Amino acid sequence: MSSANGFSIVGKRRVRVDALSKITGQTQFADDIALPRMLFCKLLRSSLPHAEIESIDVSAARDYPGVQLILTGQDFPVEYGILPVSQDERPLCRDKVRFVGDPVAAVIAGDEQTADEALGLIEVHYRPLPTIATVQEALKPTEAPLQEYAEEGNIHRRLAYSFGDVDEALENADYVFDDTFFYEGNTHLAMEQHAAVAAADPDGRVTLWSSTQCPHYVHRALAKALEMPAAHIRVIACPNGGGFGGKTDPFNHEIVVARASMMLGRPVKICLTREEVFYCHRGRHPVSMRLRTGVTRDGKLTGMHLQTLLDGGAYGSYGIASTFYTVALAPTTYHLPRYSFQAGRVFTNKPPCGPKRGHGTPQPRFGQEIQLDKIAEKLEMDPAQFRLGIVEKPDRLTANYLKIGTIGLAECIERVVDKSGWKSKHRKLPAGKGVGIACGAYMSGAGTAIYWNKMPHSGVQIKLDRSGAVTVYCGTAEVGQGSDDVLVGLVAEVLGLEPIDIKCVTGDTDLTPVDLGSYSSRVTLMMGNAAIQAAERARALIAEALAERLETPVDHLEFAEGRVFNVADPTGGMSFREAVICAEEKHGTLVSVGSYTPPHKAGKYPGAGVGPSPTYSYSAAVVEVEVDSATGFIEISRVTIAHDVGRSLNPVLVEGQVIGGVYMGIGEALMEEHTTRRLAPKLSDALLHRNPSMLDYKSLTMHDMPEVQVEIVEHPDPNGPFGAKEAGQGPLLPIMPAIANAVYDAVGVRIDELPITPDKVLKALKLKAGGREARIGPKSFPQIDWPEPVFVLPPWEGGDGTASNKPERKRAAKMHAMDKVITP
Amino acid sequence: MMRLPPFRFHAPETLEEAAAILADKGSDAMILAGGTDLLPNMKRGQHTPKHLLTLRRISSLRDVRNGSGLSIGAGLTLTQLLSNQTIRKDYTALWQAAKVVATPQLRNMATLGGNICLDTRCNFYDQSKEWRKAINYCLKKDGDTCWVATSSKTCLAVSSTDTAPALVALGARIRLVSSAGERVIRLEDFYNNDGLDYLNRRADEILSEVILEPVSGWKSTYWKLRRRGSFDFPVLAVAVAVKFTDDGTVEDARIVLGAVASMPMLSTDAAEFLIGKKIDDEVIRETGRIAAKIARPVNNTDLDPPWRKKVIPEFIRYALREVRGDDISSLRQRVAHQSRS
Ligand SMILES: Cc1cc2nc3c(=O)[nH]c(=O)nc-3n(C[C@H](O)[C@H](O)[C@H](O)COP(=O)(O)OP(=O)(O)OC[C@H]3O[C@@H](n4cnc5c(N)ncnc54)[C@H](O)[C@@H]3O)c2cc1C
Ligand code: SF4
C-alpha cells in the first residue's frame, strides 16, 4: 500500500532491477557476445601526431594467412561526427592523421592474434606536418591547420556574449575580483573497454551491438557513414560497464565493423585495448579560465565576466557544445544581475576531448567556487553564509534566459553546514586540518537535441497481454546509472505492480521507440515522463474496461498490490491479470505509448539552445582535509554532500550516483591527468599520451576513498517525473573546489589549478614561508581576438530574450540603476 | 585485448631439470614465476623469449627453512610470505615491503624471486609496442636514444622492486643455481646501476632462495612512497635496519633507498654516520640529509622529480623515527598509505 509519501514504489530503498545479473556476472556486455563464424577486427593507428598519408601498402597483410579483409580510408568516403556542425571524422583516416592513435587501417581475421600480427605488415608512408602540442601553439597563425573548417588557423570556435552591460556592473561594484584558473584534462576511465559486434543479414541489413550510451546517434552516424537507409540498420546498446560520457560519440570502430561485416557476410567483433580507449577519449577538456566578478560590500554579486579557453584535441566531437557549457550554466546557482562571457576552443594534435560527467561545467565551477571563497574572506563573511545570501530564487529566468524551476540549493547548504559541523571547524581547526565548502548545479537533460528536430526526445511503449505480462520498451541505454530500474519502477508505481512483474527492453533501434541516449542527465526526467504517460494511458485502457465490468466510475478505481479495485471496496475487484484480460476483451490487443518533449527555451538569441533544461539539480558539499606540511600530501578525511534531486525515486540509486560523483571528483581534484608527452622537439615530432594505462593514469582506488555522508534533499519540480531531477552528474561539481578551499583552510595556500598534487602544495607552502603570494596557478589568461559580443538584455532590464547589437538597447541597459538590478 | 607473442612452454618438476633446460636454451629462454611482471611485458613486446620455463611445479622453491637465520624459497608467493609469522616478527622491513607490493590479487601470483628480478621501469619503456614505435623506441629496447636524458649513454630505468631494498637492508644473500653449479652472493652484488643490464645473473642461473641472517638486536622498517593506497609501484622506498646495543646506541645500520636509481642504493655514508650514536632528533635530521645524497630521481616515473628529491630526507627520517620506537603510525598511514603491520 502507499507509504507516507503517497507512493508505493517511488522513494523506497530497493535493490535495482539489474543488480543480481550484474553481481553474478550474467549481464551480457558487448564483449561477451560470441556469434557463430565471428571474425575479429584490429585497427592500425597512427604513430605520428600530425601527418599526411602518402600511401598505404596493405599487400603483405592481405596475404597473411587467416586475414579476411583489410580496410583503409579509401573504403569510407563519407565523413561523420556527433554534431551537425563538426562532421570531421572518418572511420579510417584518408588524407591526414591528427594524433597518435588516429586509426588508419583495419584488419579483419579469424582471430584477434592473427589480426594483430597482420597489422604489423601494413606499411604507411607519411609526410609529417608540424606538431601542435599546446594551446599557445594552436593560437599562432598557421598555413596547415589541423581542421580546414576551423574558424581561424587552429582556433575551432570563439563565442562572445553579453547579458547586460557587465563593464558598468563591475565599475559600480565595491570590489572586483579578477582570478585565473586552470583545470587539467582527464578521462572517463569506465571499467568496460569499448566493444562492438556487427552482423550483416543476407538481405543486406546489418545489426550492431555496441557499448554505447547513445544508440540513436550511432544509428544516424552509421546510416550516414555507410550510405545506407537507417531503416536497414539496427543498433543495440548493450549494458555499458560505465560510460560517463566516454561512449556518447559514434565511434570509428563501430562503423568499421559494420562495413566489414557487410562486405564479408560474417559477424565481426572488435574490443578495444585499454590504451585504445584512452585514444577514443572525448573526456574533460583542459580549460584555462579568467573570472572577473563584481561584488558589493554587503556580499551581493553585481556581474561577472567569464573567459574560458579549451584545448579540444584533434577533432570537433561535442566540442562546440562543451565550449558553450563552460559558460552557459554559471548563472544557475547564484543571482547574477549581469553576465558576459568569451569562450574559445582550439585544435591540437591530441586525442579529441568531449563530454565527461558534468560536461564543460566542472571547470568554471571550480574557478567560481574558489573565487567565492576568496570574496567571502575579503568581505569577512562566512563562505556558507555568503552563498546563502546570493542563492538564486525558484521560478525565474537567469540573466542568460535559463528557466530555473525549484531550487533546493539553500537547503543543501544548510544541511551540509549542519551535518559536517562546519561552524565549529571553518578557520577553527588546528594547523594542517581544514574544511572547504562549494556548490554546483546541473541540467536534468538538455532542452535541445544534438540535431535540430521537433520530435520527442524520449518515447516509451508498453505492451500488455492476457498473461498479465507487462513489457516496457524505450530507446535508452543502461550504462550502469540505473535507468532500467527507473523505467520499471515508474511503470510499476503507476500500474500498482512490483518491479519484478515488469520486463523492460531498452536501447534497441528495431524494437524500442527513440530516446536520444544516456547523456546530459536526461534519462530519468525525459524517459521518466514518457514512461509515466505511457503507463497512465495503459492504466486508462484497463480502467475503462473495468469501470464497465464493475459498474464503477473510472476515477473510483485503484491500482495497487497487483490488483484493481474500487477504493470503497478494497477486497473486491480483481487481480491485475484479470483486469488486463478484461481490457483485451474490450479494446483488442493492448499497447500504449508515451513521449516527452522538453519545454520551449526562453532565450531567443543565437546559441540560446545550449543550457536550457526542464529543471536543474543542486548540490553543496563540505570536504574536510588534512595536509601534511612536510610532503604536501592531502588526505581527504570526510565528505558531506547534499543533493537536491527533486524527488528521490530510489534512494539507493541516488546515493550510489552521489558517492560515485564524489569518487570521481576527488580523483580529478587530486591526481587525474590526461596529458601528452612532447619529446625534445629538436630530436622528434612525437607527441604521445603520457600514461595510457590503468596503472599509470592515476585515479582513486578504494583505499583512497573517504567516508561520504549523503544528504538527499527533495524539492520536487513540476517538470520532473513525480518531481525528480538528475543525480548522475551534479554531485561531482562541488567536490573539486571544496577540496581546494579546504586546503586553503588547512594550510593557507591557494592552488588555483587542478590537479592539486603534493608538489604544488609544497611549492605554495614554500612561497608562503618566504612571504610571497602563497598561490599556485596560471598568472594570466591567453591573449585572443574575440568577436564583438552578442548583446542580450537580461529579463529584469526589459529584455525579451532576443539578441541586439543596437546601441540604444545597450543604452537602455545603462539607464537601470544598479541597486535595482542587484536585487530585482 | 593485448595478446602474448608465441613461445614454447616448459614445466620442469625439479630444479636440476629446470637448470638443464636453461643451459640448453641460453638467452632464448626466460623464467616464468608468477608472471605478473613478465607476462604484461611480453604483451608489450618488451621481451619476446622463444621459451618460457615455469617454476611452479618445483615445490622445493616454496620452502621456508629455519636455521640460524631463515631461508626463503624464491618461488614463495608474496601472499604466502605475508602469512609467515617469523618473517612478520623478525624481518619487519621485508614483511612490510611485501605487504605493499601491487594489489592483493597480484600478490597471490607474484613470487619473491620475481620481485627481486623485476625488470627496471620507465614511463618511456613500460608502454605498448605501438606507443614505443611512435617515439622510435629507446635505448633499453629496440632504439638508440634515452628519452629521459638524451645525452645519456646508459639507461636510467628505475629499480622498482619493493622487497629488494628491504632485503638489502636486512643483509640478505641469495643462492643462484645452474647446471654448472651454484653460488651464494650478497643481494646488493646481484644488481648493477644500469637500467638495461641491471642484474648480475647469467642466462642459465635460477635464483633459488633468499638467505637471511639471525636478527638478534636488529630492528627494521620499510617506507614506501606512492600515489595511492594500492596498486602503485614505489617512486621512493626507504628500508632501514639498525642494530642497537642495550643502551640504545647504534651498533650497526643499513640504510637503503629504492626507486631512485637502477638498483637499490645502500648509503654507507649514512650508516657510518649513525654507528656509535644514539638516534636523537638531530642525528635523525642529519642522517636523512646524508642518505638522500645517493638518490638521483629522474623524470621517468610518477610524480614530480624535484618534489620526489625534496621528500627523500623526510621519508628517511620517518623510518629512523620508527626504528627508534616512535609511534608514527598515523603519519605512516597518511603519507605512505601503509599500516604498520
Ligand atoms: C599493476 C601492477 C602493479 C605492480 N606493483 C608492484 C609494486 O608495487 N611493487 C613491486 O615490487 N612490484 C610490483 N609489480 C610487479 C610484480 O607484480 C612484482 O614485482 C612481482 O613480485 C613479480 O613476481 P612474479 O613472480 O610475478 O615475477 P615474474 O613476472 O614471473 O618474473 C619477473 C622477472 O623475474 C624473472 N624471474 C622470476 N623468478 C626467477 C627466479 N627464480 N630466478 C631467476 N629469475 C626469475 C623472470 O624471468 C622475469 O624476468 C606490479 C605489477 C603490476 C602488473
Ligand atoms: S631510462 Fe631512457 S633508455 Fe631507459 S627505458 Fe627510459 S627512456 Fe629508455
Side-chain angles (χ1 to χ4, degrees):
Chain A
M1 260 287 111
S2 61
S3 60
N5 66 2
F7 296 104
S8 53
I9 306 284
V10 165
K12 234 201 225 164
R13 301 187 73 87
R14 284 188 299 108
V15 173
R16 55 190 282 174
V17 296
D18 53 351
L20 288 179
S21 66
K22 279 189 173 147
I23 61 168
T24 55
Q26 292 178 58
T27 301
Q28 273 227 334
F29 296 96
D31 190 36
D32 294 323
I33 294 173
L35 300 174
R37 302 178 69 239
M38 188 165 81
L39 300 168
F40 293 83
C41 172
K42 288 291 281 181
L43 298 176
L44 178 73
R45 295 175 182 273
S46 169
S47 54
L48 295 187
H50 197 191
E52 264 171 31
I53 299 174
E54 286 184 327
S55 66
I56 305 183
D57 181 358
V58 301
S59 50
R62 185 172 288 142
D63 294 342
Y64 195 68
V67 169
Q68 298 278 342
L69 178 70
I70 309 240
L71 295 171
T72 67
Q74 300 307 323
D75 298 296
F76 295 95
V78 181
E79 293 182 312
Y80 71 96
I82 182 67
L83 297 187
V85 292
S86 22
Q87 300 288 301
D88 58 0
E89 298 188 51
R90 279 176 201 276
L92 297 170
C93 298
R94 201 172 57 171
D95 311 315
K96 237 176 153 183
V97 291
R98 296 181 173 87
F99 69 98
V100 173
D102 228 358
V104 288
V107 175
I108 291 90
D111 59 79
E112 208 179 26
Q113 183 105 24
T114 305
D116 201 26
E117 286 162 10
L119 285 184
L121 302 175
I122 299 176
E123 278 193 43
V124 188
H125 286 279
Y126 294 108
R127 191 175 72 80
L129 294 168
T131 302
I132 305 296
T134 62
V135 168
Q136 283 65 32
E137 286 169 12
L139 289 173
K140 288 191 193 131
T142 173
E143 293 296 296
L146 259 105
Q147 296 284 3
E148 292 298 332
Y149 73 101
E151 198 173 271
E152 186 184 330
N154 283 314
I155 302 176
H156 181 186
R157 188 73 185 273
R158 279 162 301 196
L159 311 168
Y161 284 77
S162 192
F163 301 92
D165 185 338
V166 171
D167 286 343
E168 187 191 57
L170 298 183
E171 270 165 35
N172 289 336
D174 292 321
Y175 303 101
V176 175
F177 287 78
D178 188 344
D179 292 289
T180 47
F181 300 93
F182 177 69
Y183 198 115
E184 186 54 273
N186 51 57
T187 201
H188 319 84
L189 214 70
M191 245 193 289
E192 180 207 23
Q193 293 153 215
H194 304 48
V197 183
D201 73 20
D203 304 315
R205 293 181 298 211
V206 66
T207 301
L208 180 85
W209 291 262
S210 186
S211 35
T212 177
Q213 298 177 238
C214 301
H216 176 62
Y217 292 146
V218 172
H219 195 204
R220 287 171 54 84
L222 280 180
K224 183 174 187 224
L226 300 176
E227 300 174 275
M228 263 173 83
H232 296 178
I233 302 169
R234 176 181 185 186
V235 176
I236 299 174
C238 298
N240 288 198
F244 312 109
K247 296 168 183 163
T248 50
D249 284 63
F251 281 105
N252 42 55
H253 62 267
E254 296 171 317
I255 302 169
V256 167
V257 291
R259 158 122 322 154
S261 168
M262 296 195 65
M263 290 172 75
L264 293 165
R266 289 173 67 173
V268 178
K269 177 179 192 169
I270 188 164
C271 181
L272 302 189
T273 63
R274 177 57 61 181
E275 180 174 353
E276 290 179 293
V277 173
F278 279 98
Y279 298 146
C280 287
H281 190 41
R282 322 286 158 152
R284 181 97 61 234
H285 285 77
V287 180
S288 305
M289 293 164 270
R290 180 179 176 196
L291 286 83
R292 285 192 299 138
T293 305
V295 54
T296 64
R297 211 164 281 122
D298 60 346
K300 301 286 183 231
L301 306 179
T302 68
M304 178 163 93
H305 181 61
L306 171 60
Q307 290 172 295
T308 62
L309 184 61
L310 293 76
D311 181 348
Y315 289 93
S317 181
Y318 281 80
I320 303 278
S322 317
T323 310
F324 266 107
Y325 279 129
T326 63
V327 284
L329 295 196
T332 50
T333 39
Y334 312 110
H335 182 62
L336 255 187
R338 289 179 181 175
Y339 177 49
S340 59
F341 60 73
Q342 291 162 322
R345 183 179 195 260
V346 298
F347 288 119
T348 52
N349 293 115
K350 305 179 198 170
C353 298
K356 181 188 168 191
R357 204 174 201 167
H359 195 187
T361 70
Q363 298 98 327
R365 181 58 58 192
F366 173 72
Q368 193 182 7
E369 295 290 326
I370 294 177
Q371 191 178 55
L372 290 176
D373 208 58
K374 297 181 181 181
I375 295 174
E377 184 176 42
K378 171 91 181 176
L379 300 181
E380 295 177 11
M381 291 173 80
D382 174 87
Q385 212 54 42
F386 166 52
R387 283 175 172 82
L388 281 172
I390 52 175
V391 161
E392 186 54 283
K393 301 205 173 48
D395 294 318
R396 49 180 302 158
L397 290 174
T398 64
N400 60 339
Y401 290 85
L402 304 183
K403 169 83 172 57
I404 307 292
T406 63
I407 169 167
L409 182 55
E411 190 183 335
C412 288
I413 296 173
E414 283 157 1
R415 289 268 279 274
V416 292
V417 162
D418 179 37
K419 299 288 175 184
S420 67
W422 170 265
K423 288 194 177 127
S424 61
K425 289 179 177 165
H426 185 245
R427 300 287 187 268
K428 296 193 182 83
L429 290 172
K433 295 187 180 192
V435 287
I437 191 168
C439 302
Y442 202 69
M443 310 183 295
S444 305
T448 32
I450 293 298
Y451 63 100
W452 166 241
N453 73 85
K454 291 181 176 171
M455 291 171 281
H457 288 212
S458 189
V460 168
Q461 184 184 328
I462 295 175
K463 169 185 138 321
L464 314 96
D465 69 32
R466 58 198 81 175
S467 67
V470 179
T471 312
V472 45
Y473 299 84
C474 182
T476 46
E478 171 59 78
V479 300
Q481 84 279 47
S483 59
D484 281 0
D485 186 75
V486 169
L487 182 61
V488 166
L490 290 173
V491 173
E493 177 71 47
V494 174
L495 297 180
L497 298 171
E498 287 297 318
I500 187 72
D501 301 327
I502 295 166
K503 290 188 204 99
C504 75
V505 176
T506 51
D508 182 331
T509 59
D510 265 12
L511 301 183
T512 59
V514 170
D515 176 278
L516 297 180
S518 290
Y519 68 99
S520 92
S521 279
R522 49 176 300 290
V523 174
T524 291
L525 188 134
M526 301 201 189
M527 172 198 75
N529 280 325
I532 290 175
Q533 187 179 61
E536 283 176 343
R537 287 175 176 168
R539 190 177 61 185
L541 289 173
I542 299 168
E544 193 189 338
L546 241 67
E548 266 178 41
R549 177 75 55 90
L550 300 177
E551 296 175 354
T552 333
V554 169
D555 54 3
H556 286 198
L557 288 175
E558 171 137 348
F559 288 63
E561 294 181 341
R563 297 174 45 74
V564 187
F565 51 85
N566 186 328
V567 271
D569 175 21
T571 54
M574 58 180 79
S575 71
F576 182 79
R577 178 170 160 258
E578 289 162 334
V580 175
I581 290 172
C582 206
E584 200 174 333
E585 282 166 2
K586 177 171 170 59
H587 302 292
T589 300
L590 294 172
V591 63
S592 75
V593 295
S595 53
Y596 180 77
T597 309
H600 289 300
K601 59 190 193 315
K604 299 182 190 74
Y605 56 89
V610 189
S613 174
T615 180
Y616 298 87
S617 77
Y618 290 91
S619 338
V622 169
V623 175
E624 199 169 327
V625 302
E626 187 163 354
V627 181
D628 182 64
S629 59
T631 59
F633 265 123
I634 297 168
E635 192 196 12
I636 312 281
S637 350
R638 207 163 98 106
V639 176
T640 313
I641 179 164
H643 181 68
D644 169 21
V645 69
R647 163 113 41 218
S648 164
L649 298 178
N650 180 352
V652 179
L653 288 189
V654 175
E655 287 164 8
Q657 289 297 308
V658 173
I659 293 170
V662 170
Y663 163 83
M664 193 173 264
I666 297 174
E668 295 195 15
L670 299 185
M671 55 183 80
E672 293 198 31
E673 290 180 82
H674 193 269
T675 50
T676 47
R677 200 186 259 286
R678 180 87 164 97
L679 295 189
K682 274 200 201 97
L683 300 175
S684 168
D685 286 329
L687 177 72
L688 286 99
H689 197 293
R690 193 174 270 272
N691 40 24
S693 77
M694 277 216 161
L695 173 62
D696 292 322
Y697 176 91
K698 301 299 179 189
S699 73
L700 290 201
T701 72
M702 61 191 274
H703 286 278
D704 312 298
M705 191 61 187
E707 194 181 309
V708 181
Q709 181 173 354
V710 181
E711 293 290 313
I712 297 179
V713 171
E714 296 184 272
H715 284 229
D717 192 289
N719 281 341
F722 299 125
K725 307 179 178 182
E726 71 88 40
Q729 310 197 63
L732 167 90
L733 293 161
I735 301 304
M736 295 73 68
I739 290 173
N741 292 339
V743 168
Y744 181 70
D745 189 43
V747 287
V749 301
R750 287 283 178 200
I751 312 294
D752 288 344
E753 65 176 47
L754 287 189
I756 307 176
T757 47
D759 54 298
K760 291 178 191 169
V761 174
L762 218 51
K763 265 185 217 139
L765 284 171
K766 192 166 175 203
L767 289 172
K768 189 182 169 202
R772 315 249 297 281
E773 189 194 8
R775 171 183 181 266
I776 300 291
K779 302 222 163 18
S780 62
F781 184 82
Q783 200 61 45
I784 293 164
D785 289 331
W786 296 104
E788 189 60 25
V790 174
F791 189 85
V792 183
L793 270 182
W796 42 84
E797 295 186 45
D800 60 1
T802 57
S804 163
N805 284 329
K806 294 198 190 93
E808 61 274 15
R809 292 279 302 273
K810 285 191 183 169
R811 234 177 291 121
K814 293 203 177 192
M815 278 157 53
H816 280 255
M818 279 312 292
D819 52 359
K820 264 197 221 142
V821 172
I822 292 159
T823 38
Chain B
M1 84 170 69
M2 293 176 81
R3 302 274 171 183
L4 284 170
F7 54 85
R8 276 191 86 85
F9 191 65
H10 305 265
E13 309 268 344
T14 64
L15 201 53
E16 294 68 40
E17 208 186 316
I21 298 171
L22 275 188
D24 180 37
K25 308 295 178 203
S27 52
D28 278 350
M30 280 186 86
I31 293 172
L32 178 74
T36 60
D37 180 48
L38 183 56
L39 296 180
N41 291 358
M42 285 173 64
K43 288 181 178 180
R44 290 189 289 246
Q46 290 159 317
H47 301 290
T48 46
K50 293 203 182 80
H51 300 269
L52 269 192
L53 184 151
T54 178
L55 300 180
R56 291 204 82 165
R57 295 216 178 151
I58 309 174
S59 59
S60 63
L61 287 178
R62 287 190 292 277
D63 290 346
V64 181
R65 278 177 292 121
N66 264 317
S68 62
L70 193 70
S71 129
I72 309 171
L76 200 70
T77 68
L78 298 179
T79 301
Q80 287 165 338
L81 186 154
L82 287 168
S83 67
N84 184 302
Q85 293 311 313
T86 310
I87 297 176
R88 183 172 193 167
K89 193 161 60 55
D90 295 343
Y91 302 97
T92 317
L94 172 62
W95 192 87
Q96 289 172 334
K99 180 89 168 97
V100 290
V101 170
T103 66
Q105 291 87 339
L106 285 162
R107 291 195 294 272
N108 289 341
M109 293 300 291
T111 65
L112 182 62
N115 195 260
I116 291 170
C117 298
L118 179 69
D119 198 359
T120 52
R121 298 187 62 85
C122 168
N123 283 343
F124 292 88
Y125 168 69
D126 293 300
Q127 303 280 1
S128 69
K129 186 152 174 108
E130 294 72 32
W131 194 101
R132 288 183 290 121
K133 183 180 172 204
I135 60 165
N136 205 12
Y137 304 101
C138 78
L139 209 56
K140 185 159 158 82
K141 174 80 180 146
D142 302 330
D144 42 35
T145 307
C146 169
W147 294 108
V148 176
T150 48
S151 57
S152 176
K153 294 276 172 288
T154 53
C155 163
L156 304 172
V158 181
S159 164
S160 305
T161 145
D162 275 302
T163 63
L167 286 168
V168 171
L170 292 167
R173 287 168 303 142
I174 55 166
R175 187 183 307 278
L176 295 160
V177 177
S178 71
S179 303
E182 57 177 70
R183 56 184 178 130
V184 173
I185 58 169
R186 301 183 73 85
L187 181 56
E188 56 263 45
D189 297 332
F190 192 40
Y191 296 108
N192 296 320
N193 199 0
D194 178 334
L196 186 52
D197 182 23
Y198 64 99
L199 282 187
N200 288 315
R201 173 185 161 259
R202 290 199 321 264
D204 64 345
E205 280 181 321
I206 301 168
L207 167 55
S208 65
E209 64 180 352
V210 174
I211 304 156
L212 290 162
E213 297 297 320
V215 284
S216 56
W218 285 88
K219 279 171 86 180
S220 66
T221 187
Y222 181 77
W223 280 64
K224 172 176 183 173
L225 175 62
R226 57 176 163 175
R227 190 86 79 130
R228 303 174 289 184
S230 188
F231 209 177
D232 289 339
F233 282 92
V235 292
L236 164 67
V238 177
V240 170
V242 177
K243 186 174 188 186
F244 291 99
T245 60
D246 289 343
D247 72 347
T249 307
V250 175
E251 189 183 318
D252 199 355
R254 291 170 69 88
I255 298 179
V256 182
L257 303 188
V260 292
S262 299
M263 65 179 279
M265 299 297 280
L266 183 67
S267 173
T268 41
D269 288 353
E272 267 167 36
F273 174 78
L274 258 187
I275 291 169
K277 297 201 174 64
K278 288 199 172 144
I279 303 190
D280 62 21
D281 289 354
E282 184 46 40
V283 167
I284 286 179
R285 228 191 53 73
E286 189 56 14
T287 314
R289 196 187 62 79
I290 297 171
K293 283 195 209 155
I294 50 172
R296 301 254 178 287
V298 288
N299 192 8
N300 61 354
T301 70
D302 186 28
L303 292 160
D304 178 53
W307 175 81
R308 276 161 49 212
K309 192 153 175 60
K310 218 173 291 169
V311 300
I312 292 168
E314 295 298 338
F315 264 64
I316 298 166
R317 289 165 193 149
Y318 297 152
L320 287 167
R321 280 168 63 190
E322 207 167 61
V323 285
R324 177 174 75 176
D326 294 10
D327 179 6
I328 50 172
S329 51
S330 79
L331 183 71
R332 186 181 183 91
Q333 184 62 47
R334 198 162 63 245
V335 303
H337 311 293
Q338 248 176 294
S339 53
R340 193 141 172 227
S341 57

